[in-house]
Amino acid sequence: MPASDHRPVAGIRVLELAGLAPGPFTGLILADFGADVVRVDRHGDSFNTDTLTRGKRSIAVSLKSPDGISLVKTLVGPSSSSTSSASSRPEQWRADVLIDPFRPGVLERLGLDPEDLLKANPRLVIARLTGFRREGPYSKMAGHDINYLALTGVLSMLGRAGDKPYFPANLLTDFAGGGLMAVVGVLAALLERSRSGKGQIVEIDMVTGTRYASIFPLTVARPSTGMPTWSEPRGENWLDGGAPWYEVYKTKDGGYMSLGAIENHFYRVFLEIFSKELSSCADLPPHPSPDTQYDRSTWPDLVAFFTAGFAEKTRDEWASLFLNTDACCVPVLERHEVDAQGRGPGEPGRALDDETAADGGGVPAPAPRLVRTPATAGASDGPFLEPGRDTVEVLEAAGLGGKVRALIEAGAVSASDPKAKL
């Protein structure tokens, strides 16, 4: 099926209150698929370390200023021109979606109570992202990805046998359980709005979201399922490093190969190629039989055989041998070897240019892939977005062009656009 040239959420306007990873990731995805995303940075900041800026613009607003709070209320309120059928003016910039990345109670203390915002604009969708659940003993506490993951029951399942639990950086909770779940919630709310005409508050907490994203291991690990995939202690299961045929092995040149031959028919293909290439190596452990793949008593010998075998050739030699086979064995690529489309060496598509390779690889493109039509005019190409770069432009689009100078002088906003004419 050919890729679509339609950006599915084009025309949707998003006001993203600046925050850490999950909130910006939510905005990034919405921008990638067509939304006009404006990040609200802190007034006075000259730099924001957020790199998830592709397709976004920035305004800098003081949320400690009554004028700044009033401005945010205006940007998420109904457009005066859109409420008048007699008006011939273009619709003013007003948010369809507000992304709230703050801890429980912060919006309310700022004077931006979501219930009040919905009363002012019943079509607004408010995505509220918290780490811990909004209610409960941890709700008022500070935390990060590793803390939220610790409360899901999932962290206890990750890691090597006999070792402490091991966390997958901040990928699982911040991005899968947080940002991606927020995008799903926003899109569902927008779909419902298209039928009812009403917005709503979408609550996302990373503990619940991560449990949902981890539904497979949490379900199959139940004794009642009787499934062998995740029935043993940490690090002794099929998919967590316990099984020798689902593992990463070091090669002769210090590279690595990933082996994921779970099903026996794939395992047979792998073993046939692997054993054939090692047939002349007399000092290796005995070659295994494919019939004993799931026999746990054979796994220690399998680990020894695979470890010694992969060390006989370089990563690229093994990669070439397994390419175009069903052995489920491919190389572990370094980030500088992968381009923005996820392609590695030998795959169709462009190769990394020298500059991109030196910088550690391409920036991932949106998935599913779309044929990109032009994004919001003047939006960021990343990785950094200067706070307040688009303050004047956005406020003019909101019908507030005549108030920009007064807002700047009052300390409610700041503008860093050198081309802005005030």
Side-chain angles (χ1 to χ4, degrees):
M1 179 180 295
S4 169
D5 62 356
H6 177 63
R7 290 161 63 86
V9 290
I12 296 297
R13 292 159 170 171
V14 180
L15 199 65
E16 174 196 315
L17 301 179
L20 298 176
F25 187 47
T26 303
L28 172 73
I29 297 173
L30 294 173
D32 277 340
F33 290 103
D36 179 4
V37 179
V38 174
R39 188 181 73 190
V40 180
D41 283 300
R42 290 193 303 180
H43 167 68
D45 282 358
S46 61
F47 184 71
N48 187 323
T49 58
D50 172 27
T51 60
L52 305 176
T53 63
R54 182 174 57 206
K56 301 179 187 179
R57 297 183 288 168
S58 166
I59 62 174
V61 180
S62 171
L63 298 183
K64 297 180 180 179
S65 159
D67 288 335
I69 294 299
S70 178
L71 172 59
V72 173
K73 289 181 178 179
T74 298
L75 294 177
V76 298
S79 169
S80 59
S81 59
S82 66
T83 57
S84 172
S85 58
S87 175
S88 60
R89 293 179 298 168
E91 183 181 356
Q92 294 171 347
W93 199 101
R94 293 294 184 269
D96 297 282
V97 178
L98 174 66
I99 299 175
D100 165 25
F102 300 139
R103 289 164 65 175
V106 171
L107 271 195
E108 289 83 352
R109 290 195 298 272
L110 290 172
L112 296 170
D113 190 310
E115 297 291 347
D116 294 336
L117 298 180
L118 276 176
K119 289 177 183 177
N121 181 5
R123 290 179 56 82
L124 183 65
V125 173
I126 305 174
R128 309 200 74 183
L129 265 160
T130 60
F132 299 119
R133 295 187 175 100
R134 189 168 293 277
E135 305 293 338
Y138 298 96
S139 62
K140 305 299 183 184
M141 295 172 56
H144 279 296
D145 181 288
I146 191 172
N147 308 125
Y148 314 140
L149 185 60
L151 297 183
T152 64
V154 178
L155 179 55
S156 68
M157 303 171 69
L158 305 178
R160 295 291 184 178
D163 203 349
K164 63 184 179 181
Y166 193 82
F167 50 96
N170 67 330
L171 301 178
L172 183 53
T173 306
D174 273 350
F175 292 96
L180 278 176
M181 288 296 107
V183 171
V184 171
V186 167
L187 295 180
L190 289 173
L191 179 61
E192 198 279 332
R193 189 184 75 170
S194 71
R195 299 166 180 165
S196 69
K198 296 181 179 180
Q200 59 184 293
I201 297 172
V202 180
E203 287 281 3
I204 309 100
D205 74 79
M206 285 177 259
V207 174
T208 302
T210 301
R211 282 186 59 82
Y212 189 62
S214 307
I215 190 171
F216 173 72
L218 289 172
T219 300
V220 299
R222 294 175 181 172
S224 59
T225 64
M227 296 187 66
T229 315
W230 223 298
S231 58
E232 302 298 322
R234 177 174 63 249
E236 299 179 21
N237 299 283
W238 285 17
L239 305 180
D240 65 357
W245 28 263
Y246 199 89
E247 182 58 282
V248 172
Y249 292 97
K250 192 173 184 178
T251 57
K252 183 178 182 179
D253 58 340
Y256 293 92
M257 291 293 291
S258 69
L259 174 61
I262 301 173
E263 296 85 357
N264 188 252
H265 53 286
F266 295 147
Y267 181 64
R268 288 175 180 272
V269 174
F270 162 75
L271 209 56
E272 180 180 358
I273 298 171
F274 193 70
S275 297
K276 180 180 178 181
E277 290 301 316
L278 300 173
S279 58
S280 61
C281 300
D283 56 345
L284 289 180
H287 291 212
S289 165
D291 297 326
T292 60
Q293 177 182 3
Y294 305 116
D295 182 351
R296 287 178 174 270
S297 67
T298 69
W299 286 5
D301 290 337
L302 274 183
V303 170
F305 177 64
F306 292 159
T307 300
F310 274 110
E312 292 291 319
K313 293 182 181 293
T314 67
R315 186 200 70 172
D316 289 349
E317 287 173 334
W318 283 121
S320 178
L321 287 166
F322 288 117
L323 187 63
N324 296 320
T325 74
D326 283 344
C328 301
C329 190
V330 302
V332 176
L333 301 181
E334 300 293 335
R335 60 177 180 161
H336 64 269
E337 297 180 280
V338 184
D339 71 14
Q341 301 295 334
R343 300 186 182 100
E347 292 188 83
R350 68 175 180 84
L352 285 177
D353 55 50
D354 291 341
E355 182 178 352
T356 303
D359 195 38
V363 177
R369 247 175 256 155
L370 299 178
V371 175
R372 299 291 299 279
T373 53
T376 303
S380 170
D381 289 329
F384 296 109
L385 174 59
E386 185 179 1
R389 191 197 68 171
D390 308 287
T391 298
V392 175
E393 179 183 10
V394 172
L395 295 190
E396 287 178 344
L400 300 171
K403 299 181 179 180
V404 173
R405 181 180 292 277
L407 288 168
I408 291 176
E409 291 176 351
V413 303
S414 54
S416 62
D417 185 355
K419 297 177 292 183
K421 296 180 180 180
L422 302 179

